[in-house]
Amino acid sequence: MTTSNGLSNNTVRHIYQDSKGFIWFSTLNGLNRYDGNTFRTFLPDSIGELPSLADGRVKSVCEDNHGFLWISTSIDRFSCYDLKRDCFVDYTGCEAFKEQYAYITLLSDAVWLWGRGKGCRRVCYKNDRFYSDVFCLENGTLDTNAVSFIVKSK
């Protein structure tokens, strides 16, 4: 597969197959979804008011238990794509989707984002809505904003 087949860039960083069978290609010029015949390319919204692909330089894609794709970009911002509704969504529930986080941990009950010395954000999806909490030094929920990793304890 190359740009002559419809791929938006020949530099592919990551390939992922989602639960619906689509193949996603993370490239240096957008996110590409392949259905077995054609490509659909996702690029950032130049206006930036609504959730969209955060940056055209996509690093990786993963899927959570609710059928949402989590897209990591080079500017350390995540985008969240709803496979059921076929659109990008505000995963914070409070229009803070432009916050920068470098890393992600997918757990069965939550998605955790952290990095860049900003503490971390827990994202939950319940009753068809996103909710999120920020844990950081500034709000007294952490002793430091330097989060190195997140794991679920038993």
Side-chain angles (χ1 to χ4, degrees):
M1 299 288 180
T2 66
T3 54
S4 63
N5 302 106
L7 197 60
S8 63
N9 190 282
N10 285 330
T11 302
V12 175
R13 293 174 147 179
H14 184 82
I15 300 171
Y16 180 80
Q17 185 170 14
D18 69 27
S19 60
K20 290 182 138 193
F22 292 116
I23 309 238
W24 296 83
F25 295 84
S26 302
T27 77
L28 292 178
N29 187 31
L31 179 65
N32 297 260
R33 183 178 74 188
Y34 185 64
D35 64 7
N37 294 307
T38 59
F39 281 99
R40 179 176 174 193
T41 300
F42 297 88
L43 296 169
D45 177 7
S46 59
I47 298 170
E49 296 299 318
L50 298 174
S52 73
L53 186 61
D55 184 57
R57 298 162 296 166
V58 180
K59 292 197 283 188
S60 64
V61 177
C62 56
E63 185 176 354
D64 69 16
N65 292 340
H66 298 286
F68 294 99
L69 290 184
W70 293 86
I71 300 120
S72 170
T73 66
S74 288
I75 59 170
D76 288 343
R77 279 188 41 211
F78 280 86
S79 297
C80 184
Y81 189 81
D82 185 341
L83 288 170
K84 294 174 191 142
R85 295 187 334 199
D86 196 26
C87 65
F88 287 93
V89 294
D90 174 6
Y91 59 86
T92 66
C94 61
E95 297 185 20
F97 56 88
K98 293 183 182 181
E99 292 291 320
Q100 289 183 294
Y101 295 100
Y103 306 103
I104 186 169
T105 297
L106 301 177
L107 300 175
S108 60
D109 59 343
V111 172
W112 288 83
L113 304 171
W114 78 95
R116 304 211 26 116
K118 300 184 96 172
C120 58
R121 179 182 292 272
R122 176 180 59 192
V123 178
C124 298
Y125 186 76
K126 295 178 185 170
N127 301 321
D128 296 325
R129 287 192 56 208
F130 280 102
Y131 303 89
S132 68
D133 301 301
V134 174
F135 298 86
C136 64
L137 178 65
E138 292 76 13
N139 68 16
T141 53
L142 290 178
D143 292 333
T144 177
N145 282 335
V147 176
S148 299
F149 57 89
I150 295 178
V151 296
K152 185 173 184 174
S153 64
K154 294 181 181 184

